[in-house]
Amino acid sequence: MGVKVAKYGGSSVADAIQFAKLKKIVEADSDRKYIVVSAPGKRFSEDSKITDLLYLCKTHIDHNIGYEQIFQVVADRFRAVELNLGIDVGLWKEFEEIDNNLKNGATEDYIASRGEYLTALVAAAFLGYDFVDTAGLICFDERGKFLDEESNRRLREELKRHERAVIPGFYGTMPDGSIKTFSRGGSDITGSLVARAVEADVYENWTDVSGFMVADPRIVDQPLQIDTISYKELRELSYMGASVLHEDAIYPVRASDIPINIRNTNEPDHPGTTIIADISGRNNDKIITGIAGSKDFLVIAIYKNMMSAEAGFIRRCLTILEDYGIPVEHLPSGIDTISLVLSKKKTNGKIPDIVEEMKRKLEPDSIEVYEDMALVATVGQGMSRRRGVSATLFGALYHAGVNIRMIDQGSSEMNIIVGVQNADFETAIRAIYNAFFPKNPEEAVL
Ligand code: ASP
C-alpha cells in the first residue's frame, strides 16, 4: 500500500456539494491518507473567497468600522456546510473564540488562517480522519522566515502518529506561538511539505482545472492537454504567466523526487497533468511541452562602439538598474549592443531617470527605449539537440505576418523566447501552436 497526499484548493471545498465530491475521491483510493485543505473559495464568479472576507474583517477592525456583518457571512457559510453534511463539529464554539480573539487584537495572519483551520475541522469530521493542526508543526522564526528543516522534522514526527489525517494549509507558527501564514495561495506549499514529510508516492493537487494545457485556452481554441511536464519546463512556463501552483510549492517535493499530479475535483476521472523531475521516459516524439507568454515588457537598447572591448560595461548597466531595485528579465546582446528587457510594471515610472543616468555614466552612442513588447516562450526539453525547431517556429511567425523583435535562447536549449509587438501577441501564440500541433497531423513539420 502506498501513501498519497491530496491537497484540495478553495473551489474544491467551496460548499457541501464540493465536500461530497472530495469525500468520494478520497474514498476511491485508500492510499489518500493525508488531506490538506484550503479555505472555501468562490462558489460562482461573483462570490467571495472566505480568506478575502477574513482579511476584510481585520481591515474593518483596524479602521474602527463594524466587522460583525462580514464575520457573520463567514460563519453562515461554514454553518451551512456543517448542516448540509449532517455533521456537528461545534463550529459555533470556534466562532465564539475567533470573535473574542478579534475583539482582543488578533493579528491579520491569525484571522486569515481561520478559513483553513475551520475547513480542516469540518473535513476531518466528515471523512472520519484525525485533525492535525499545523500550529507548532510548520515553523517560522521571529522575523517570519520559514524554517524548512525544523518544520520537516516536526511534521514527520507528528504525522507518524496518524494513519489518516486532515491538515489545514496556509499557516504555521512563530516561536512565540503566534500564527504566521505563507503568501496567498500558500496551501499548495503546505501540501508539498506534508508530502515530503510522509514520503508520499505522489502529491495530488486537486483544483478546478484538469491540469495544464499546451497554451492558454483563451487564446488557442481547445488546446491539447499536457500529460507530463518536468519541473524545469514548468518553471519556464510559470515564469511566463502560466500559473496553477504556488511557486514555492515545488522545491520540497522536487528535492525528494515526488511527482505532483494536478487534478480536477469536478472531473475526477481525468488523469490531469503530472509534474516529474526526469522526463527521459516520456514519449520521445514530444518536442514542445507548452507555449506561454505575457505582454508589457519594455526594452532599453544601448549601442556603443567597441562596447565588447570595454571591461565592466554590462556590470555598470546592471548596477544602475540594481540601484533602482529593478530586476532584468532578459539580456540579449550583440557585438556592440545590449538590450535590457524589463517588465514594465516593475519599472514604477523610473525609466526617464534611469536613461538619464545611463547616458551620464555609460556614455553610449545611442540609447533607445521600446515599449509594448510581448514575450512568447516556447518550452520543451525535447527540443534539445533537435534540428528544425527554430526553423518551424520562425517560419510560423513569418507566415502569420509577425515581426520578431528579439530572440533569446538559453544554452539549456529548452526554451526559445521571442519578443513581438503587444498587438501581435495572440497571433504569435496561435501561429506557434498550430505549427507544432497542427489539427491535421499530416501537416506536422517535425
Ligand atoms: N486561503 C489562502 C488564499 O486564499 C491560501 C490558499 O488558498 O492556498 O490565499
Side-chain angles (χ1 to χ4, degrees), residues 11 97 106 109 157 215 219 248 284 293 303 307 349 362 366 372 404:
S11 58
E97 186 181 332
D109 282 17
E157 270 166 29
I219 299 174
D248 295 339
N284 255 345
Y303 171 76
M307 174 194 293
L362 305 172
S366 77
D372 301 327
I404 303 170

Side-chain angles (χ1 to χ4, degrees), residues 146-198:
F146 173 60
L147 300 173
D148 194 28
E149 274 175 32
E150 181 66 14
S151 303
N152 191 32
R153 192 181 59 72
R154 290 191 190 198
L155 277 171
R156 206 176 334 121
E157 270 166 29
E158 181 60 34
L159 292 173
K160 254 190 231 152
R161 300 194 198 117
H162 304 269
E163 208 189 321
R164 293 175 185 278
V166 176
I167 300 137
F170 194 34
Y171 69 93
T173 37
M174 308 233 267
D176 65 359
S178 60
I179 297 282
K180 167 90 188 114
T181 63
F182 290 114
S183 57
R184 294 298 304 264
S187 299
D188 282 341
I189 308 173
T190 312
S192 183
L193 296 173
V194 170
R196 178 181 64 181
V198 301

Side-chain angles (χ1 to χ4, degrees), residues 7 9-10 38-39 49 51-52 55 112 116 169-170 183-188:
K7 180 258 166 181
S38 283
K49 290 182 173 189
T51 310
D52 290 335
Y55 278 119
E116 273 69 13
F170 194 34
S183 57
R184 294 298 304 264
S187 299
D188 282 341

Side-chain angles (χ1 to χ4, degrees), residues 58-132:
K58 178 64 180 156
T59 313
H60 277 65
I61 293 169
D62 289 348
H63 291 85
N64 289 321
I65 305 171
Y67 67 93
E68 290 80 2
Q69 236 176 331
I70 307 167
F71 193 59
Q72 194 58 46
V73 175
V74 176
D76 288 348
R77 266 187 76 178
F78 276 103
R79 287 284 297 139
V81 172
E82 200 182 24
L83 277 173
N84 289 327
L85 296 181
I87 52 171
D88 181 4
V89 278
L91 284 185
W92 63 270
K93 260 201 313 258
E94 298 290 340
F95 276 102
E96 221 172 73
E97 186 181 332
I98 298 169
D99 197 18
N100 269 333
N101 290 335
L102 278 177
K103 289 196 168 75
N104 293 312
T107 64
E108 182 177 65
D109 282 17
Y110 164 80
I111 173 79
S113 73
R114 294 305 85 186
E116 273 69 13
Y117 169 79
L118 295 165
T119 309
L121 278 182
V122 171
F126 186 47
L127 295 172
Y129 279 30
D130 297 344
F131 166 78
V132 175

